[in-house]
Amino acid sequence: MKCWFGLPEESGAFPFALRFQQGTFYFLALGLAGSSIDVMEAPDSFNPIAHGMTAIDASTAAVYLRRAFSDLQQEEWVLIETLLPVGGSSLTLPDFKVEHAKPTHSLRAPESGAYFSFGEENLKQGMAAVALAVKNPLVPHREIIEAAVDTMADMSLTLPVRLKWQLALEVIALINQQNGAEKVAALALQNAAGLYFGVPGSKIPFVRDWSEQALMSGLAMARMVEKAKHVEGNQ
């Protein structure tokens, strides 16, 4: 069996491909780990690496796929799970040290990391604080925005989200290790450790930095809207 993983999507689910033989036929399993899986006859032209995926040892890949699909009993997964090798292990998480978990630029870059998305309700509450800062010039903007960033980062980490993104960051580490990017892998494992040990989102650089980017983008948009309203009012 040959296995490939891709970098996680904004949901935290990561794409995978498995190529395996049954009798004289070769099959391909494609999907998003923990979400969906399809099985088809393997075309000769399929090249996962050309689609941005990285080859992963089958025993190691099996461990991560079993973790991702632990709550899913889709018929295709039940079949594939019986074919996976046993005896692999996950990467070892270090003790969390926030100073070793940043900077996060490489973890947030599309070629080596992932985008962390926030729920609609979390964004709505965060943007409400941003709107307050924009509309009230006498209020200290930075303090309000910093508090909103921290709050949104903390609130985003429900237990399911925490577990999914711990796994996603471990996969980011695994892929970067395979690609020789050891520093990026180490950063990913540090942030994954923060999630594993129950550290608040505001103290996990990967989560907080995405929270800040989301709200600062919202702040820029809000300021543009306020400026447009001001210009219209003076015409």
Side-chain angles (χ1 to χ4, degrees), residues 1 23 25 40 43 46 56 58 73-74 76 81 96 100 111 114 137 139 182 189 200 209 222 227:
M1 176 178 285
F25 296 94
M40 64 198 76
F46 180 70
I56 304 294
Q73 292 301 312
Q74 184 178 341
E76 289 84 355
E81 200 276 334
F96 177 69
H100 295 163
E111 68 273 11
V139 176
E182 294 292 341
L189 287 178
D209 287 353
K227 184 177 180 180

Side-chain angles (χ1 to χ4, degrees), residues 77-141:
W77 165 246
V78 173
L79 168 65
I80 294 299
E81 200 276 334
T82 63
L83 302 175
L84 293 174
V86 296
S89 60
S90 301
L91 296 175
T92 301
L93 294 179
D95 292 332
F96 177 69
K97 294 182 179 180
V98 66
E99 64 272 19
H100 295 163
K102 55 186 179 181
T104 65
H105 303 92
S106 56
L107 292 183
R108 295 183 290 127
E111 68 273 11
S112 56
Y115 171 74
F116 183 97
S117 64
F118 293 89
E120 183 177 346
E121 189 60 31
N122 291 334
L123 279 171
K124 186 184 298 184
Q125 292 184 22
M127 286 308 302
V130 168
L132 176 66
V134 171
K135 292 180 179 179
N136 293 275
L138 299 180
V139 176
H141 288 193

Side-chain angles (χ1 to χ4, degrees), residues 127 130-131 134 216-228:
M127 286 308 302
V130 168
V134 171
M216 293 306 291
S217 296
L219 174 61
M221 183 62 68
R223 282 176 172 163
M224 288 175 61
V225 171
E226 286 297 312
K227 184 177 180 180

Side-chain angles (χ1 to χ4, degrees), residues 7-230:
L7 291 166
E9 300 193 347
E10 65 180 51
S11 66
F14 59 92
F16 68 92
L18 307 174
R19 191 173 188 271
F20 58 96
Q21 184 177 6
Q22 288 286 85
T24 58
F25 296 94
Y26 286 92
F27 294 90
L28 190 65
L30 297 172
L32 282 175
S35 177
S36 63
I37 182 170
D38 291 306
V39 180
M40 64 198 76
E41 190 170 349
D44 294 334
S45 60
F46 180 70
N47 181 4
I49 295 176
H51 292 275
M53 305 184 86
T54 299
I56 304 294
D57 172 76
S59 296
T60 302
V63 173
Y64 283 95
L65 289 173
R66 287 191 173 104
R67 285 173 61 186
F69 281 105
S70 60
D71 295 326
L72 187 68
Q73 292 301 312
Q74 184 178 341
E75 182 179 355
E76 289 84 355
W77 165 246
V78 173
L79 168 65
I80 294 299
E81 200 276 334
T82 63
L83 302 175
L84 293 174
V86 296
S89 60
S90 301
L91 296 175
T92 301
L93 294 179
D95 292 332
F96 177 69
K97 294 182 179 180
V98 66
E99 64 272 19
H100 295 163
K102 55 186 179 181
T104 65
H105 303 92
S106 56
L107 292 183
R108 295 183 290 127
E111 68 273 11
S112 56
Y115 171 74
F116 183 97
S117 64
F118 293 89
E120 183 177 346
E121 189 60 31
N122 291 334
L123 279 171
K124 186 184 298 184
Q125 292 184 22
M127 286 308 302
V130 168
L132 176 66
V134 171
K135 292 180 179 179
N136 293 275
L138 299 180
V139 176
H141 288 193
R142 193 62 199 176
E143 287 84 347
I144 290 180
I145 293 170
E146 289 287 338
V149 167
D150 287 345
T151 299
M152 190 166 84
D154 288 342
M155 292 180 61
S156 69
L157 290 185
T158 61
L159 182 57
V161 171
R162 186 178 286 274
L163 292 173
K164 177 171 280 190
W165 275 98
Q166 177 198 332
L167 182 63
L169 282 162
E170 287 185 47
V171 168
I172 290 174
L174 184 64
I175 289 173
N176 279 284
Q177 277 189 353
Q178 293 297 110
N179 292 333
E182 294 292 341
K183 290 183 178 180
V184 181
L187 284 168
L189 287 178
Q190 278 288 341
N191 282 275
L195 291 166
Y196 175 75
F197 289 115
V199 176
S202 57
K203 305 299 182 184
I204 300 174
F206 176 76
V207 179
R208 192 192 187 281
D209 287 353
W210 272 123
S211 177
E212 181 173 34
Q213 182 167 325
L215 289 187
M216 293 306 291
S217 296
L219 174 61
M221 183 62 68
R223 282 176 172 163
M224 288 175 61
V225 171
E226 286 297 312
K227 184 177 180 180
K229 289 180 179 179
H230 180 73

